[in-house]
């Protein structure tokens, strides 16, 4: 008897197939045969192909090899040839040093190299009995170079490091190169250093529940490859933290996460559900909500939906019904390193990120309150406290105090033709292209420019109400108050801002604030009746 999650995985998987195939160049006469970046090969609006989109070939290979209800492509020559073409084209766009590009030409992205290498290796392992000799040889050569490149580079972002770990394990399986196995041990130690004692993996310095599921996914894929028990305590600790971050409505993350993501990768949760009761509890809870409000691949744009879909296909193929699941978690948890405080009761769930301006989410039986932080204009410049490490938090019994400064928001700036031309010239002429592309990402994602405007938020958690008192100290600056919405995202994160709900919304209370002027500051008090 299949549970509802199995049918949901299948529904999501089958729904993305037409979109995925439409984005791949399937014409054998084309010079870009096998390219999965349609903006490059068909629309001609880009000057290089994004390697990450080639990961869709893994999805094609699974459709060709795996027989499941509704899969009309199992054994299909057309699907097999498409997977061959994607694999062959991927080897052509690899740099000589083994790396791949994602956002910029000559970027040499660690992220892209880790995830694309894993996908290539999986395609090879699935298709090797049918692969033409040249594609086989080119793929093995490609994997050797990519493995060596990953082995000699460090990373301080959890999900990307976990991806590299799984990729290196697959390269070892394909090539038999013992140095890849040694590199896996090194990456495990690095991952341990990136994992907080609280269980979360560092994602640009903080905890992000969405990316926590990505890290779990690739830990599961690594363990599936070689049954290395060294990663099990790491995974178990990560799952325990994740359990406390799952919302009553079956979602997670949003503004309280360090990167603001709300997607969920299901394969890792599904795989570890047979090993860890807490993972089984997460799986059952998400299944009971039918993933209705989660940013699943069928709701995402092509850029991410067509590569994240593999998680749901693998969850479908490895679906199981755990014999034992942990009881759902209720209680209070303070994670000082993450800056999170969580209170979970049967009729109420509250989570706040004190390192990110005191952004919070509250769920009751009848309503949801989503506070994405405060937004103002200081002399015309947009500023917010919704920024990692803009604030700090102290917790005393049922009182939470968050203090810090407003940070300027750079995301209002967009790319112009002149900026794009200048960027391309610099990337072509600059010797240390990798260094430059990394600095661009840091500027977009982590640069923090504080203002002189001070903010204080005090939240009192009471039995029948929550009182939120905000104080803003202008310090001589002229400020304009703005109202954020549930979609407001200050920091640049490509994987945020996906639409998440295709069903009726609950009673989401608006984040409207009435400010009053006092001698030194502006004050606003909200009482949220439970």
């Amino acid at each position: 008897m299949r549970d509802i999650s199995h049918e949901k995985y299948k529904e999501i998987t089958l729904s993305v197939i037409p979109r995925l195939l439409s984005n791949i160049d399937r014409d054998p006469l084309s010079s870009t045969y096998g390219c999965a970046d349609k903006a490059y090969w068909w629309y001609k609006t880009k000057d290089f192909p994004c390697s990450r989109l080639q990961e869709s070939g893994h999805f094609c290979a699974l459709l060709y090899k795996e027989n499941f209800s509704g899969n009309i492509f199992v054994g299909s020559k057309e699907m097999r040839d498409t997977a061959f073409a994607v694999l062959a084209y991927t080897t052509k766009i690899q740099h000589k040093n083994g790396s791949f590009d994602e956002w910029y030409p000559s970027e040499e992205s660690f992220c892209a190299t880790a995830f694309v290498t894993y996908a290539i290796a999986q395609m090879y392992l699935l298709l090797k009995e049918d692969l033409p000799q040249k594609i086989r040889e080119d793929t093995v050569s490609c994997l050797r170079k990519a493995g060596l490149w990953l082995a000699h580079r460090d990373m301080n972002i959890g999900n990307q490091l976990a991806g590299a770990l799984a990729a290196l394990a697959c390269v070892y399986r394909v090539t038999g190169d013992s140095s890849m196995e040694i590199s896996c041990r090194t990456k495990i130690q690095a991952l341990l250093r990136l994992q907080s004692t609280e269980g979360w993996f560092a994602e640009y310095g903080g905890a992000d529940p969405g990316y926590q599921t990505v890290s779990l996914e690739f830990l599961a894929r690594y363990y599936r490859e070689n049954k290395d028990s060294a990663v099990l305590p790491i995974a178990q600790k990560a799952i325990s933290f994740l359990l406390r971050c799952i919302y009553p409505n079956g979602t997670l993350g949003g503004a309280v996460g360090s990167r603001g993501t709300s997607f969920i990768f299901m394969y890792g949760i599904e795989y570890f559900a047979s090993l860890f009761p807490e993972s089984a509890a997460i799986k059952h809870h998400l299944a009971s909500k039918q993933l209705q409000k989660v940013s699943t691949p069928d709701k995402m744009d092509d850029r991410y939906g067509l590569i994240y879909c593999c998680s749901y296909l693998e969850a479908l193929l490895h679906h199981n019904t755990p014999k034992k699941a942990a009881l759902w978690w209720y209680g209070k948890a303070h994670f000082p390193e993450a800056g999170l405080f969580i209170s979970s009761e049967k009729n109420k769930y509250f989570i706040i990120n004190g390192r990110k301006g005191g952004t919070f989410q509250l769920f009751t039986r009848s309503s949801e309150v989503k506070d994405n932080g405060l937004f103002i204009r200081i002399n015309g410049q947009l500023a917010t406290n919704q920024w990692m490490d803009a604030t700090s938090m102290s917790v005393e019994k049922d009182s939470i105090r968050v203090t810090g400064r407003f940070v300027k928001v750079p995301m209002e700036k967009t790319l112009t033709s002149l900026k794009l031309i200048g960027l391309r010239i610099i990337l072509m002429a600059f010797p240390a292209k990798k260094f430059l592309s990394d600095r661009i990402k840091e500027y977009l994602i982590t640069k923090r420019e504080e203002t002189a405007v001070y903010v204080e938020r005090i939240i009192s958690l009471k039995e029948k109400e929550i009182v939120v008192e905000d104080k803003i100290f202008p310090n001589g600056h002229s400020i304009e108050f703005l109202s954020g919405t549930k979609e407001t995202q200050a920091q640049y994160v490509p994987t945020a801002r996906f639409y998440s709900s295709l069903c009726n919304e609950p009673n989401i209370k608006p984040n409207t604030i009435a400010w009053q002027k006092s001698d030194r500051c502006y004050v606003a008090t909200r009482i949220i009746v439970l």
Side-chain angles (χ1 to χ4, degrees):
M1 182 73 176
R2 297 289 192 186
D3 66 31
I4 196 166
S5 61
H6 177 271
E7 295 305 314
K8 193 64 181 179
Y9 297 153
K10 185 170 71 172
E11 175 189 323
I12 293 169
T13 294
L14 296 178
S15 70
V16 300
I17 294 174
R19 283 171 56 206
L20 183 140
L21 291 175
S22 292
N23 276 271
I24 299 173
D25 185 352
R26 305 185 310 283
D27 179 5
L29 299 180
S30 171
S31 61
T32 53
Y33 181 42
C35 179
D37 188 345
K38 197 168 187 176
Y40 175 75
W41 67 263
W42 188 245
Y43 300 138
K44 317 296 185 185
T45 56
K46 290 178 61 181
D47 56 346
F48 79 104
C50 170
S51 66
R52 294 262 354 234
L53 291 168
Q54 300 301 114
E55 294 173 44
S56 59
H58 182 199
F59 189 86
C60 295
L62 287 169
L63 287 176
Y64 168 66
K65 294 293 290 188
E66 301 289 348
N67 188 14
F68 60 89
S69 173
N71 180 19
I72 63 173
F73 296 101
V74 61
S76 161
K77 180 179 180 300
E78 178 186 3
M79 187 59 72
R80 183 203 66 183
D81 291 347
T82 298
F84 286 174
V86 174
L87 182 56
Y89 188 80
T90 309
T91 65
K92 295 176 183 177
I93 62 174
Q94 183 184 37
H95 288 299
K96 290 181 180 179
N97 66 1
S99 65
F100 289 92
D101 297 333
E102 181 176 12
W103 296 108
Y104 314 109
S106 304
E107 175 190 2
E108 299 182 6
S109 164
F110 185 97
C111 174
T113 305
F115 295 133
V116 172
T117 299
Y118 175 81
I120 294 171
Q122 286 298 306
M123 292 165 68
Y124 177 88
L125 293 168
L126 286 164
L127 303 169
K128 62 181 179 180
E129 295 178 359
D130 303 318
L131 278 174
Q133 185 66 23
K134 185 174 188 318
I135 298 179
R136 181 194 293 260
E137 292 173 356
D138 289 347
T139 303
V140 173
S141 174
C142 173
L143 289 171
R144 287 185 190 278
K145 291 188 293 182
L148 288 171
W149 191 91
L150 287 169
H152 291 92
R153 279 157 182 83
D154 299 324
M155 174 49 61
N156 60 1
I157 300 172
N159 78 90
Q160 296 180 23
L161 189 58
L165 174 64
L168 288 167
C170 292
V171 174
Y172 170 65
R173 183 177 167 190
V174 171
T175 65
D177 184 346
S178 59
S179 70
M180 297 296 106
E181 188 176 33
I182 295 171
S183 294
C184 284
R185 316 304 305 175
T186 303
K187 293 294 188 254
I188 289 174
Q189 292 304 310
L191 198 60
L192 275 169
R193 290 192 294 272
L194 272 185
Q195 187 176 33
S196 163
T197 56
E198 298 168 350
W200 50 274
F201 299 104
E203 294 293 339
Y204 285 95
D208 187 86
Y211 273 110
Q212 186 87 347
T213 68
V214 181
S215 297
L216 279 170
E217 178 124 324
F218 282 92
L219 285 175
R221 287 168 166 172
Y222 171 77
Y223 183 72
R224 187 185 70 193
E225 286 299 317
N226 58 13
K227 295 297 184 288
D228 182 1
S229 60
V231 300
L232 292 182
I234 301 174
Q236 187 171 22
K237 201 171 182 179
I239 290 165
S240 183
F241 174 81
L242 181 64
L243 174 68
R244 286 148 179 79
C245 298
I246 303 291
Y247 301 155
N249 66 352
T251 63
L252 50 62
V256 298
S258 66
R259 301 189 69 186
T261 63
S262 57
F263 58 74
I264 300 178
F265 274 46
M266 284 304 304
Y267 173 67
I269 295 169
E270 185 73 46
Y271 185 90
F272 284 127
S274 62
L275 299 176
F276 304 123
E278 286 187 316
S279 192
I282 295 172
K283 165 188 159 66
H284 289 326
H285 180 70
L286 296 178
S288 71
K289 306 301 179 183
Q290 301 182 51
L291 298 171
Q292 285 185 334
K293 299 177 184 177
V294 176
S295 297
T296 48
D298 53 327
K299 303 170 193 170
M300 294 179 180
D301 55 54
D302 290 347
R303 173 60 178 77
Y304 283 100
L306 301 184
I307 57 178
Y308 285 2
C309 57
C310 225
S311 175
Y312 285 81
L313 176 51
E314 287 200 287
L316 170 66
L317 297 173
H318 295 272
H319 175 272
N320 65 80
T321 304
K323 295 180 180 179
K324 182 180 180 182
L327 295 175
W328 194 248
W329 176 77
Y330 295 111
K332 293 181 180 180
H334 183 200
F335 299 104
E337 293 178 21
L340 295 176
F341 175 81
I342 305 170
S343 175
S344 177
E345 302 174 20
K346 286 190 176 182
N347 298 324
K348 179 182 69 178
Y349 178 95
F350 176 82
I351 181 171
I352 183 172
N353 190 332
R355 287 178 57 193
K356 200 175 178 185
T359 54
F360 69 84
Q361 297 208 34
L362 170 68
F363 298 83
T364 68
R365 283 189 178 275
S366 59
S367 66
E368 299 177 12
V369 178
K370 299 183 180 183
D371 186 299
N372 285 6
L374 303 173
F375 288 82
I376 61 175
R377 287 197 186 276
I378 306 172
N379 302 324
Q381 167 71 52
L382 183 63
T384 183
N385 63 343
Q386 189 215 91
W387 203 275
M388 280 304 296
D389 293 325
T391 56
S392 59
M393 176 175 70
S394 61
V395 179
E396 293 184 11
K397 294 184 179 180
D398 292 326
S399 179
I400 301 167
R401 182 172 182 261
V402 179
T403 59
R405 296 185 183 277
F406 277 86
V407 173
K408 292 181 180 180
V409 178
M411 278 305 294
E412 288 192 297
K413 299 177 181 178
T414 55
L415 196 61
T416 65
S417 298
L418 285 176
K419 289 178 183 177
L420 178 60
I421 293 170
L423 179 62
R424 288 293 187 265
I425 291 173
I426 293 171
L427 285 171
M428 288 188 291
F430 198 70
K433 298 179 179 66
K434 179 73 170 62
F435 174 84
L436 182 60
S437 64
D438 287 347
R439 299 296 79 75
I440 293 172
K441 292 175 189 175
E442 287 178 8
Y443 172 78
L444 288 172
I445 299 173
T446 62
K447 181 187 176 184
R448 186 173 80 248
E449 187 177 351
E450 291 186 349
T451 71
V453 179
Y454 183 81
V455 60
E456 178 185 68
R457 167 168 285 184
I458 297 177
I459 298 179
S460 301
L461 303 176
K462 301 181 179 182
E463 184 178 349
K464 296 184 179 181
E465 64 184 25
I466 292 178
V467 180
V468 182
E469 182 184 65
D470 291 316
K471 294 181 180 180
I472 295 178
F473 298 81
N475 289 327
H477 290 275
S478 173
I479 62 175
E480 174 191 355
F481 296 100
L482 304 173
S483 296
T485 72
K486 65 173 185 174
E487 300 292 340
T488 305
Q489 169 85 9
Q491 285 181 269
Y492 175 69
V493 180
T495 48
R497 299 292 299 274
F498 296 128
Y499 189 69
S500 60
S501 180
L502 293 177
C503 57
N504 292 329
E505 289 282 8
N507 176 26
I508 299 179
K509 296 183 178 179
N511 185 25
T512 54
I513 304 175
W515 294 96
Q516 294 182 339
K517 183 77 166 65
S518 67
D519 292 339
R520 297 175 51 243
C521 65
Y522 292 92
V523 181
T525 301
R526 288 173 287 165
I527 299 177
I528 304 170
V529 179
L530 303 177

